[in-house]
């Protein structure tokens, strides 16, 4: 018979299953079950045996689509390959391929945890926005359009910067999948970040540093968080390195903090000289942390997180919004200065050191920045310990002068 939509719809179910064939001699037909289910089929002989291959169901697979699938199977058959075996293998591979949820788990365990101090933030963002939207689907079935629509949803709820961050993590995850052989190509190619991010230039003035330092006494946050913020300003290290520091990294007698390469951003061991002010802060932290391995333990038995100290600063800082009046944060503006972030404290320390005529190279070594040259990467293994000591010693003296020399005794008023 000649297959048309009209002729296919005219095929009525019978008491037994039956088949109808298209008049082209290529084994293309349709099977009709007693319940009325219609399935496209391809019949052929391979290695002397009759084979029957189901191509799909009608009308979910249209006549035109069925012709296309049949033509591909017939082409494979003509090349000496059993198309039914290929279809079975493809179905098996598809069933065994990971879902997006499984890919998220693999990415966190195999890539993020070993390499990123902030892997928990990756896990949080993926769990919040990616798994609910794409989690059940096969990773290999995700298209560029799927990623774009997901990112659009985050933007539409008023979180364009979060959309940027999420896209960055998704891109890294699918790149990881390609390198692991899970995918042949990433669906994130040629997807632009949805929002423009302005580089922050916030640097606290000397008056603001003083207000911040003494404002911590009355700020509504834990004593550990207060000390972590002060240590960040004193040492100019990254907030992740400060919040997740362990006592095993410190030698208070010799005045050194050795950040292991597994925690440093550039994956290099970093030695930080400790000024007297830094050592005083750490001694107070010891009173609070007691027998914990963490300098700044949380109530959950782990260290406090970079996210938690950012939230603490945000909740205690004065905020402004595009010309609207200042509004009071949940706990009151104990800092009584315009909004800043923990990272701004690091930038402030950096700017202050530079203003003291400390060489930029020496400051960059304090910050553990990577200088991308062949010489610095492979041959220059000089530690710059003396230069770093000198830089942080000068910065410590300057900070003491800024806050009026009131650094003797307790760095903060411990809460009773």
């Amino acid at each position: 018979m000649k297959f048309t939509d009209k002729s296919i719809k005219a095929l009525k179910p019978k008491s037994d299953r039956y088949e109808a064939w298209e008049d082209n001699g290529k084994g293309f037909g349709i099977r009709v079950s007693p319940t009325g289910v219609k399935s496209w089929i391809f019949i052929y002989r391979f290695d002397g045996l009759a084979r029957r291959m189901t191509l799909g169901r009608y009308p979910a697979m249209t006549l035109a689509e069925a012709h296309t699938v049949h033509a591909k199977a017939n082409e494979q058959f003509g090349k000496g390959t059993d198309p039914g075996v290929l279809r079975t293998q493809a179905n098996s591979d598809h069933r065994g391929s990971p879902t997006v949820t499984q890919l998220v788990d693999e990415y966190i365990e195999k890539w993020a945890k070993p390499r990123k101090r902030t892997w928990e933030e990756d896990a949080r963002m993926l769990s919040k926005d990616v798994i609910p939207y794409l989690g059940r689907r096969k990773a290999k079935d995700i298209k560029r359009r799927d990623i774009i629509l997901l990112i659009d949803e985050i933007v539409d709820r008023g979180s364009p910067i979060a959309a940027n961050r999420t896209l960055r993590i998704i891109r890294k995850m699918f790149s990881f999948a390609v390198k692991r052989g899970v995918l042949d190509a990433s669906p994130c190619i040629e997807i632009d970040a949805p929002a423009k991010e302005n580089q922050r230039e916030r640097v606290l003035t000397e008056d603001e540093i003083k207000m911040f330092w003494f404002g911590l006494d009355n700020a509504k946050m834990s004593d550990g968080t207060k000390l972590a913020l002060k240590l960040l300003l004193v040492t100019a290290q990254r907030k992740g390195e400060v919040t997740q520091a362990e006592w095993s990294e410190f030698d208070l007698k010799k005045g050194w903090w050795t950040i292991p390469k597994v925690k440093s951003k550039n994956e290099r061991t970093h030695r930080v000289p400790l000024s007297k002010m830094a050592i005083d802060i750490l001694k107070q932290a010891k009173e609070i942390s007691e027998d914990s391995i963490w300098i700044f333990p949380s109530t959950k038995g782990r260290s406090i997180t970079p996210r938690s100290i950012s939230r603490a600063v945000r909740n205690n800082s004065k905020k402004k919004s595009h010309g609207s009046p200042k509004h009071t944060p949940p706990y009151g503006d104990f800092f009584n200065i315009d909004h800043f972030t923990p990272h701004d404290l690091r930038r402030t320390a950096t700017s202050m050191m530079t203003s003291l005529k400390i060489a930029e190279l020496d400051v960059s070594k304090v910050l553990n920045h990577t200088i991308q040259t062949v010489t610095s990467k492979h041959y220059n293994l000089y530690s710059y310990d003396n230069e770093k000591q000198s830089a942080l010693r000068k910065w410590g003296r300057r900070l003491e002068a800024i806050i009026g020399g009131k650094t003797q005794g307790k760095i903060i008023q411990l809460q009773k």
Side-chain angles (χ1 to χ4, degrees):
M1 63 178 291
K2 180 176 177 58
F3 281 173
T4 63
D5 281 321
K6 183 177 181 179
S7 65
I8 297 300
K9 290 177 182 178
L11 296 173
K12 303 301 180 182
K14 300 178 182 179
S15 57
D16 294 320
R17 185 176 68 179
Y18 70 96
E19 295 162 349
W21 304 96
E22 190 169 54
D23 298 332
N24 59 13
K26 295 182 179 180
F28 178 58
I30 192 166
R31 182 176 60 236
V32 184
S33 74
T35 60
V37 174
K38 299 174 182 179
S39 303
W40 301 111
I41 56 176
F42 173 37
I43 189 170
Y44 59 97
R45 295 187 67 85
F46 193 85
D47 287 342
L49 299 175
R51 303 292 175 90
R52 190 181 300 268
M53 177 180 175
T54 301
L55 305 179
R57 283 189 178 184
Y58 179 85
M61 178 180 283
T62 67
L63 175 58
E65 290 170 340
H67 273 138
T68 300
V69 175
H70 169 256
K72 182 177 180 180
N74 199 40
E75 180 184 4
Q76 292 168 339
F77 172 69
K79 293 179 179 179
T81 303
D82 189 337
V85 171
L86 292 180
R87 168 68 69 87
T88 300
Q89 182 62 48
N91 290 339
S92 176
D93 290 344
H94 183 77
R95 287 192 298 271
S97 65
T99 63
V100 172
T101 296
Q102 291 170 327
L103 176 58
V104 167
D105 291 340
E106 187 173 347
Y107 162 75
I108 294 297
E109 292 298 324
K110 300 294 185 181
W111 197 91
K113 275 188 179 181
R115 293 173 174 83
K116 296 186 70 175
R117 299 184 311 278
T118 57
W119 66 267
E120 289 178 313
E121 182 65 7
D122 285 18
R124 184 192 70 80
M125 296 184 77
L126 291 170
S127 296
K128 178 181 179 181
D129 287 310
V130 177
I131 290 178
Y133 190 80
L134 300 173
R136 294 184 179 181
R137 295 178 56 184
K138 296 291 186 179
K140 70 185 194 65
D141 292 337
I142 302 302
K143 306 300 182 186
R144 186 185 309 169
R145 183 65 177 167
D146 298 316
I147 305 298
I148 291 172
L149 292 176
L150 184 155
I151 297 302
D152 283 349
E153 281 203 359
I154 301 174
V155 173
D156 291 343
R157 72 170 185 239
S159 303
I161 303 304
N164 285 2
R165 304 285 192 273
T166 303
L167 176 59
R168 193 175 302 149
I169 295 171
I170 294 174
R171 183 177 284 118
K172 174 59 69 175
M173 181 179 72
F174 278 104
S175 175
F176 162 82
V178 171
K179 292 177 181 178
R180 294 276 290 183
V182 176
L183 304 175
D184 293 328
S186 169
C188 299
I189 297 173
E190 297 297 323
I191 299 179
D192 295 328
K196 181 179 180 181
E197 295 190 39
N198 296 322
Q199 184 174 353
R200 287 185 62 83
E201 298 179 349
R202 178 78 164 98
V203 174
L204 275 65
T205 66
E206 293 187 2
D207 286 341
E208 287 178 326
I209 291 173
K210 190 171 183 177
M211 285 188 283
F212 156 74
W213 191 272
F214 293 109
L216 280 171
D217 286 341
N218 296 317
K220 295 295 183 179
M221 62 180 73
S222 70
D223 286 336
T225 298
K226 295 176 183 180
L227 291 171
L229 288 167
K230 289 195 171 184
L231 190 64
L232 195 160
L233 179 63
V234 170
T235 63
Q237 300 310 299
R238 296 180 175 90
K239 64 178 180 179
E241 295 162 346
V242 170
T243 57
Q244 297 170 11
E246 300 177 46
W247 285 112
S248 60
E249 300 167 13
F250 290 82
D251 185 338
L252 298 187
K253 290 183 178 180
K254 294 183 178 179
W256 285 100
W257 172 18
T258 303
I259 302 174
K261 62 182 181 180
V262 294
K263 288 186 177 182
S264 67
K265 186 175 182 180
N266 62 6
E267 299 182 355
R268 289 187 177 186
T269 301
H270 179 43
R271 279 167 52 85
V272 183
L274 300 172
S275 64
K276 180 182 181 302
M277 191 180 295
I279 292 174
D280 287 343
I281 292 171
L282 290 165
K283 286 180 178 178
Q284 283 199 79
K286 189 63 178 176
E287 295 179 28
I288 300 171
S289 65
E290 297 179 342
D291 59 351
S292 173
I293 66 170
W294 306 104
I295 306 292
F296 307 112
S298 71
T299 56
K300 298 180 180 180
R302 298 178 296 178
S303 68
I304 61 176
T305 65
R307 184 178 177 83
S308 71
I309 68 168
S310 294
R311 183 170 57 249
V313 170
R314 185 168 60 249
N315 287 342
N316 287 275
S317 296
K318 184 184 297 183
K319 301 179 182 179
K320 290 184 177 180
S321 59
H322 304 302
S324 64
K326 297 173 184 177
H327 53 278
T328 304
Y331 303 135
D333 52 352
F334 290 106
F335 296 144
N336 198 30
I337 54 180
D338 288 342
H339 175 63
F340 65 95
T341 69
H343 190 73
D344 294 333
L345 297 176
R346 173 173 158 95
R347 185 184 298 106
T348 298
T350 301
S351 300
M352 288 288 182
M353 281 188 276
T354 304
S355 73
L356 294 171
K357 308 303 181 185
I358 299 171
E360 286 193 21
L361 175 60
D362 297 344
V363 175
S364 73
K365 292 300 180 181
V366 170
L367 301 176
N368 197 24
H369 282 170
T370 300
I371 301 174
Q372 295 293 345
T373 66
V374 174
T375 301
S376 64
K377 187 175 182 180
H378 298 287
Y379 297 101
N380 184 9
L381 302 181
Y382 178 60
S383 66
Y384 287 86
D385 281 354
N386 292 335
E387 289 79 0
K388 289 188 290 187
Q389 277 183 319
S390 176
L392 286 176
R393 189 181 300 117
K394 290 179 181 178
W395 165 229
R397 288 197 296 265
R398 183 61 188 149
L399 182 55
E400 288 184 1
I402 290 171
I403 60 180
K406 298 180 180 180
T407 61
Q408 300 300 319
K410 294 296 184 183
I411 299 297
I412 65 168
Q413 298 297 319
L414 297 181
Q415 297 174 3
K416 301 296 185 183

